[in-house]
Amino acid sequence: MKTTIKTLMAVALLSSSLAQATVVEVTTNLGKFEINLFDQTTPVTVQNFLGYVNSGRYDGTVIHRSVPGFVVQGGGFVFVQQLPLTAVATNAAIINEPKWSNVRATIAMAKLGGNPNSATNQWFINLADNSSGGPKLDSQNGGFTVFGQINAQGMEVIDAIAGLPRFNFPSVGDLPLQNYTAADRDDNKALVASNFITIESMVVVDARADSAASLNPVPNNASNGNTAAPISAGSLGWLSLLLSLVVVSRRKRTL
């Protein structure tokens, strides 16, 4: 039993280190930005996001929506030679964790209307304080889960994306494109891959569990949505399992 416990402790520590990878570098064809993830306060959402990052499913996706003064959105589609965009395979939807406020430079999960617990792979970056006012993202649909923050230099890249011209097509609207004009749209000029803002890669660059300690996210005090219990975090789940096995072991020894 000692050997089993030691093995489980090693697995728990490994799982913990993997689950607490907190800084992701995103490389696009318009520049790079970093996301500092709130892994200790929104563990389910961060684990879900990292699942897509580590599997490479975000690589090659495009920014498919841009609304100046509101959000830039991606994570859900790739461009394969022609429209419509092709949807990326998703994992099961996750529980809502609306702990932090949707202020500028935060990243949050998109979801289906009327279903707080429907987030899968699509995310958006807040270009402004969308917590209240018209958008009311802190309370709408149970509140949208903010799970990280974009670095200051990275927001320059995001603002550049938001400044690109946007176009509407039958299958997609508010699509930001580069090297494409209104005249091209009027002429129904075919799109090519270089017209899109593409996520070339997402990689973990800092796995410290406390890398978000210096940040000061704004609490969401408006949501009445569902929240996940802290024990649902991958690392805490393993530790809980380990402790339960230790208790079982001790009980066996007392028999």
Side-chain angles (χ1 to χ4, degrees):
M1 189 64 185
K2 287 183 178 180
T3 301
T4 301
I5 292 175
K6 287 181 179 179
T7 301
L8 285 170
M9 288 180 68
V11 173
L13 290 173
L14 175 60
S15 175
S16 175
S17 65
L18 291 175
Q20 293 178 346
T22 56
V23 181
V24 171
E25 181 182 73
V26 183
T27 300
T28 79
N29 55 344
L30 207 63
K32 297 181 179 181
F33 61 93
E34 289 186 352
I35 309 170
N36 200 318
L37 302 175
F38 302 148
D39 60 300
Q40 295 180 333
T41 52
T42 55
V44 174
T45 307
V46 168
Q47 282 192 332
N48 174 72
F49 182 77
L50 287 176
Y52 289 102
V53 170
N54 294 329
S55 67
R57 272 185 281 175
Y58 281 141
D59 298 353
T61 57
V62 301
I63 301 298
H64 66 271
R65 183 186 181 211
S66 173
V67 182
F70 183 39
V71 300
V72 164
Q73 186 171 339
F77 301 94
V78 294
F79 175 70
V80 184
Q81 298 183 336
Q82 62 182 5
L83 294 179
L85 297 173
T86 300
V88 175
T90 64
N91 298 329
I94 57 173
I95 194 168
N96 204 28
E97 297 178 296
K99 183 177 180 65
W100 304 113
S101 187
N102 283 268
V103 296
R104 175 175 163 81
T106 56
I107 183 171
M109 295 303 296
K111 52 190 176 180
L112 300 176
N115 187 349
N117 301 311
S118 59
T120 54
N121 61 348
Q122 290 190 41
W123 44 263
F124 62 88
I125 295 170
N126 286 294
L127 299 173
D129 183 351
N130 294 317
S131 60
S132 56
K136 296 182 179 179
L137 297 189
D138 281 6
S139 57
Q140 181 196 144
N141 198 8
F144 287 80
T145 297
V146 166
F147 63 97
Q149 182 172 314
I150 312 302
N151 65 321
Q153 295 84 352
M155 281 305 294
E156 295 178 4
V157 175
I158 301 303
D159 288 335
I161 295 173
L164 290 172
R166 298 169 296 133
F167 298 88
N168 294 318
F169 295 86
S171 59
V172 60
D174 292 321
L175 179 66
L177 297 172
Q178 57 182 347
N179 303 318
Y180 195 83
T181 66
D184 292 332
R185 180 69 185 97
D186 291 339
D187 293 338
N188 290 318
K189 182 179 179 180
L191 295 174
V192 295
S194 59
N195 293 136
F196 291 84
I197 304 305
T198 303
I199 304 296
E200 296 176 346
S201 67
M202 280 196 186
V203 294
V204 173
V205 293
D206 189 340
R208 291 178 300 151
D210 63 347
S211 64
S214 62
L215 303 179
N216 293 297
V218 179
N220 178 357
N221 297 316
S223 174
N224 59 359
N226 296 322
T227 57
I231 198 66
S232 61
S235 56
L236 293 179
W238 271 108
L239 292 176
S240 177
L241 173 61
L242 176 61
L243 289 174
S244 66
L245 288 172
V246 171
V247 171
V248 170
S249 173
R250 288 178 177 174
R251 285 177 178 173
K252 284 184 177 179
R253 289 180 184 180
T254 60
L255 293 178

